[in-house]
Every structure is written in C-alpha cells, then in structure tokens.
Amino acid sequence: MTSVLPDRGVRRRATPSTGAGVRPDLLLAGLTLGAALVVLLWWHDTPATIHTFGDWLTNAGRITGLLAGYLIMVLVLLMARVPALERGLGADRLARWHSMGGRYTVSMSVAHTLLIIWGYAVTAHQSVLTQTGTLLTTYPDVMMATAALGLLLLVAGVSMRAARNRLRYETWYHLHFYTYLAIALSFSHEFATGFDFSANESARVVWSAFYLGVAALMLWYRFVVPIRGAVRHRMVVEGVFPEAPGIFSVHVTGHHLDDLRAEPGQFFRWRFFSRGSWWQSHPYSLSAPPSDRLLRITVKALGDHSLALRTLHKGTPVFAEGPYGALTERRRTRRKVLLLAGGIGVTPLRALFETLPARPGDLTLVYRAGTEVDIVFRRELDAIAAWRGARVIYLVGPPGGEADPFTGRRLASVVPSVTEHDVYLCGPPRMMDAAHAALRRVGVPRKHIHTESFEF
C-alpha cells in the first residue's frame, strides 16, 4: 500500500493480525460470577441462623467488605493494560467501567465500615461513638484500614467531574497511585479481622492468589513490557512538522517497530525524555498507518505538555506504552463505513481512512472543523479519497450552525444511507455526544457506532 505521506525510506504494511480481545459480555459475566463466589464464601462461613438485629447488621457489613475487597482488585485489573482487555473493550469503555466500579467500591467500603460499627454497637449495647473508639484502639489493623478508607475517599473526591475540571491531568493521575497504598493497608486488615479468612485457610490461599495474580498482571503489562519494549525498539524523535495553526505532527523512528503489531486507529501512551515533559505520559493516537520504521502522532497545543512537544529536538528518546485501543478494523461489521471526525479527533480516523478495506463509494469521511484553517491533513485526505474512490466531506462552521450535521436530522441529508454504515466517531466530548445522539435519532443501531475517548 502506498502512503500519501513523504516516503522517508520506510515501508508501510497492511493491518497486522493480532490476538482477539475479550468480549465485553463474557468479561462482565466472569466478573459477576466472581462477585457471586465472594457472596458464596460469606454464606459458607455464616452460621445457619442469624438471630438479632446486630447479627443482621454485622453480616451485611461482612458482605459489603468482601465485595469491596473484590471490586478494588477488579479496578486494578481493568487498568492493568492487559492487551486482550484493551482490544476487546477499548480504552473508553475500560475507563467507564473503571469509573463505575470505583463508585461501587467506595460505596461498599463506606457501607462496610458503617454497618460493622453499627452492628457491633447494637450487639455490645454501646453507642456508635464508643464502639468506633473500641474498634480503632483494640482491633488489629483497623487503624490501617481506616487510613485506607480515607485514601479511597480522597481518590473518589478528585475523580468527581467538578474536581477533575479543576485539576491538571498529571495531578489527577498521580493522586490515583494512592489507591495502591489503600490496597496494601487494607489487605492485612482483611486477614487479621475478617471472619471469612481468619479461620479458613483455603479462603486465604485463594484470596491471596487472586490479589497476587492481578498484581502480577499489572506489574508485567504496566512496567516490564514497556521497559523491555523501550530497550528493544529504541525510539527517538525524527522531527516535528507543522500541520495547521497550533497543530503539529511528531515523527518517531525506532527498531523492529513491526513487532509492536500496532493497528490504524490505536494509540500509545507517550513519554518524551526532554526537559519539562520526561515525567509525564499522555495518550496520542497514530495519525498515519504504522510502518516498520516510523510512527506518527499529531498533537494540538492545548496545555503545557503538548506545547512542550512542539519544541522537541531530533534524537530525543521516546518511551511508548502500547498499542492500546479498539477503534480498529476489528469492530467493523458492515460493508459501508462512515468516519465522523471533529477537530483533532481526525487523527485515528485519518489512519483508518487510508487502510480500511472498502470498494469505491463504500467509505466516507465527514470532517467537522470550526474554520478552514483548522482542517488538518486536507491534502492527504483529498489524495486518499481520490486514490481509493472514497468520499471526504468537510463541514466548516460553529457548532449549531448551518454546517453542523448534528442538529435536527441533517446528518441523514449529508450521508443519505447512514443507517447502512458502521460509524467510527472521534472528536471533542461535546461533539461526540451530539453526533452519537444524531446517529441514534436517524436510526443507526448503537452496536454500529464505534467510539474511543481519552477524556480523564
């Protein structure tokens, strides 16, 4: 396949064949089964009769505590960057499941704490405050568990939308490392005072194996694999090239890049070892099909990190984790494909526009931009469209204006047979919400709308 990019002495290749991802429904079924087994553990260790109100409260606290301990490791598993999960669910769905699971975990942890205190207080005929003091001062590892709960509440607080909008990405990201400290603090508490583990050696072995297994996956895929890849591929910046006002492409070269098995539509988490950016890792999609010697990303200067990338020098070392994401050819189920791009969200769709197999007339790219100068890759997109017999439609104007296809039913007039297409959608969050709603209004089934978002 010939690329419309300057040749630069590299060989483009077809989409590689990599392992299939985990189906979301099967993963959800497996996680539900795990939760059911946790409840079964409580049932196995619980006396046949629960007599008093205090017994009911205490056992409700036991169940919520077990489920909180299970769910927090599920959260770690979802963010361990296991390739099968990334390919099967995609980064945006993993993030949504992680966020939802986080709310459940914190709720279960708080419920566990309150129910146990209340249940013990009722049984001992003491006030809640007196019982709280007794638990903190006389029960082993309860103080550490209290600290763990405080850390979880801190992470939950900074994850709320109102707080996220006021935090820098790096601050939000690094505060989440306190979750690992919370897990370490709470683990010993589970074995020291947990009724289901203190007298059940088999349960302790299985629970420990579960924790150690998830920890091993996280360490392997988030640390060992990226470090090994950095040594093997030895990536460096080849150059930085302007694309549009405030938008530029970074070309990265390296060794054995075929071994990465990256696909058009995927992204990496990039770390550039230059002053001011070496300690930060950010996700950027490939904006051109990967080759054996070259990867290209395209960045819009929006913050300190992206602004710093514009001044990268040739030869700057690069550390890349990935590839990640499921916005690839694998999601396709129909002959016709519509790519809907907004702003800098065109980057993964530009790579797909060049590589998705399609007969003439079956592939359409609709590119939404605020002004003419904001259009990125126009020459490349026009060349790809002419070469492949595909269509590219540029819609320029403010949101809600005459050129906006996401108001009313205008999308059907822009792409008359839109309901017969698989739709790949990428852009700013508000644009994606509006586009998704417009697609549903004109009758595109939800299962044929494919998205990926990096919003934290």
Side-chain angles (χ1 to χ4, degrees):
M1 180 179 293
T2 303
S3 173
V4 297
L5 289 174
D7 179 64
R8 296 188 181 275
V10 299
R11 174 173 54 84
R12 301 272 170 202
R13 52 184 170 78
T15 300
S17 175
T18 57
V22 175
R23 283 174 45 185
D25 56 342
L26 293 180
L27 176 61
L28 186 59
L31 297 178
T32 303
L33 176 61
L37 291 175
V38 168
V39 176
L40 185 62
L41 171 64
W42 163 81
W43 180 267
H44 177 269
D45 294 330
T46 300
T49 56
I50 300 176
H51 298 286
T52 67
F53 182 53
D55 291 339
W56 282 102
L57 290 172
T58 301
N59 279 277
R62 285 175 54 203
I63 294 173
T64 52
L66 286 169
L67 288 173
Y70 169 72
L71 286 173
I72 199 167
M73 294 311 293
V74 170
L75 298 184
V76 176
L77 176 63
L78 293 177
M79 291 291 105
R81 298 175 189 167
V82 178
L85 297 183
E86 292 278 348
R87 287 193 298 267
L89 278 76
D92 55 341
R93 184 179 291 177
L94 279 173
R96 287 197 304 271
W97 285 22
H98 179 82
S99 177
M100 181 176 62
R103 291 191 288 271
Y104 284 132
T105 301
V106 173
S107 298
M108 290 289 181
S109 300
V110 172
H112 163 70
T113 303
L114 298 179
L115 287 167
I116 287 292
I117 294 173
W118 191 9
Y120 280 25
V122 170
T123 301
H125 304 289
Q126 294 181 335
S127 69
V128 169
L129 288 178
T130 301
Q131 186 61 50
T132 301
T134 301
L135 288 171
L136 288 173
T137 56
T138 62
Y139 279 70
D141 298 325
V142 169
M143 187 65 76
M144 287 197 298
T146 304
L149 178 61
L151 291 172
L152 287 180
L153 291 173
L154 169 66
V155 173
V158 301
S159 297
M160 296 174 65
R161 185 172 296 275
R164 289 205 314 266
N165 292 339
R166 290 173 171 78
L167 288 175
R168 293 176 49 155
Y169 171 82
E170 295 79 16
T171 303
W172 171 87
Y173 177 80
H174 287 104
L175 282 173
H176 271 63
F177 282 106
Y178 284 115
T179 303
Y180 301 123
L181 178 58
I183 294 172
L185 290 173
S186 63
F187 184 76
S188 61
H189 161 70
E190 294 171 7
F191 279 9
T193 60
F195 182 83
D196 300 282
F197 300 113
S198 59
N200 189 334
E201 184 176 355
S202 297
R204 289 200 303 272
V205 170
V206 172
W207 197 254
S208 298
F210 171 54
Y211 269 56
L212 290 173
V214 173
L217 287 173
M218 188 270 294
L219 290 172
W220 179 259
Y221 286 112
R222 296 199 66 166
F223 295 95
V224 176
V225 170
I227 292 172
R228 186 180 63 180
V231 173
R232 175 168 175 75
H233 301 300
R234 291 169 288 173
M235 295 187 196
V236 296
V237 173
E238 185 194 65
V240 179
F241 305 91
E243 301 286 359
I247 299 174
F248 53 92
S249 288
V250 180
H251 290 207
V252 175
T253 60
H255 301 269
H256 312 292
L257 297 186
D258 277 347
D259 292 346
L260 291 169
R261 305 177 74 82
E263 301 179 50
Q266 290 189 306
F267 68 95
F268 288 77
R269 299 182 187 275
W270 302 88
R271 189 185 303 271
F272 296 90
F273 286 88
S274 64
R275 182 178 179 182
S277 61
W278 64 268
W279 56 280
Q280 303 177 43
S281 174
H282 284 253
Y284 295 110
S285 297
L286 298 175
S287 62
S291 76
D292 59 333
R293 290 295 305 278
L294 178 68
L295 302 176
R296 185 182 80 170
I297 61 172
T298 302
V299 181
K300 185 173 184 178
L302 295 173
D304 294 342
H305 181 266
S306 52
L307 283 170
L309 300 188
R310 189 164 53 185
T311 60
L312 288 172
H313 298 293
K314 183 175 182 178
T316 299
V318 180
F319 186 91
E321 298 178 58
Y324 300 124
L327 195 70
T328 66
E329 180 190 344
R330 298 173 185 280
R331 287 192 173 182
R332 180 181 182 179
T333 59
R334 290 178 160 181
R335 179 172 59 86
K336 295 183 177 181
V337 178
L338 169 63
L339 308 176
L340 275 181
I344 197 62
V346 73
T347 51
L349 303 188
R350 182 259 174 257
L352 287 169
F353 193 50
E354 181 175 347
T355 57
L356 278 176
R359 295 185 298 185
D362 286 345
L363 180 62
T364 302
L365 169 65
V366 175
Y367 185 1
R368 175 82 173 71
T371 65
E372 290 283 347
V373 296
D374 293 325
I375 297 175
V376 188
F377 309 132
R378 185 160 197 162
R379 181 180 63 84
E380 295 181 13
L381 296 173
D382 289 341
I384 293 171
W387 157 53
R388 304 199 61 190
R391 286 201 306 160
V392 56
I393 301 170
Y394 302 102
L395 301 172
V396 180
E402 291 298 322
D404 194 341
F406 311 132
T407 58
R409 301 181 65 87
R410 293 178 187 171
L411 185 58
S413 64
V414 175
V415 185
S417 58
V418 64
T419 56
E420 301 173 9
H421 289 68
D422 261 323
V423 182
Y424 288 73
L425 172 61
C426 192
R430 289 185 180 180
M431 172 266 179
M432 291 179 65
D433 291 342
H436 195 281
L439 290 165
R440 297 292 292 126
R441 279 197 301 271
V442 299
V444 179
R446 193 182 306 275
K447 66 180 180 180
H448 293 302
I449 303 174
H450 314 300
T451 64
E452 194 119 86
S453 173
F454 305 138
E455 186 184 24
F456 76 94

